[in-house]
Amino acid sequence: MPVVLGVVFQATGSSFLAFATLAAGPLLGMLLMLGVREHGARPAADDNTEDTAKAVS
């Protein structure tokens, strides 16, 4: 990653853009993780405690 920072800084002369480039990796990872669901997870239909007890056991 330091190589990419150096290239961006050398090309633009802007430290802001260099650090924004550094922040792009974790932001991209966060966006990709938004679509990941745990195995067996299901959306909650309502607040019925009976359904919750079945899901836990």
Side-chain angles (χ1 to χ4, degrees):
M1 206 58 163
V3 173
V4 175
L5 277 175
V7 169
V8 171
F9 183 71
Q10 185 177 9
T12 63
S14 170
S15 59
F16 174 77
L17 286 177
F19 286 114
T21 303
L22 184 64
L27 288 175
L28 178 63
M30 179 193 69
L31 291 175
L32 292 174
M33 289 300 293
L34 288 175
V36 174
R37 294 183 68 185
E38 291 186 21
H39 180 68
R42 63 185 177 116
D46 55 16
D47 287 332
N48 192 347
T49 55
E50 184 178 327
D51 288 342
T52 305
K54 288 179 185 176
V56 172
S57 60

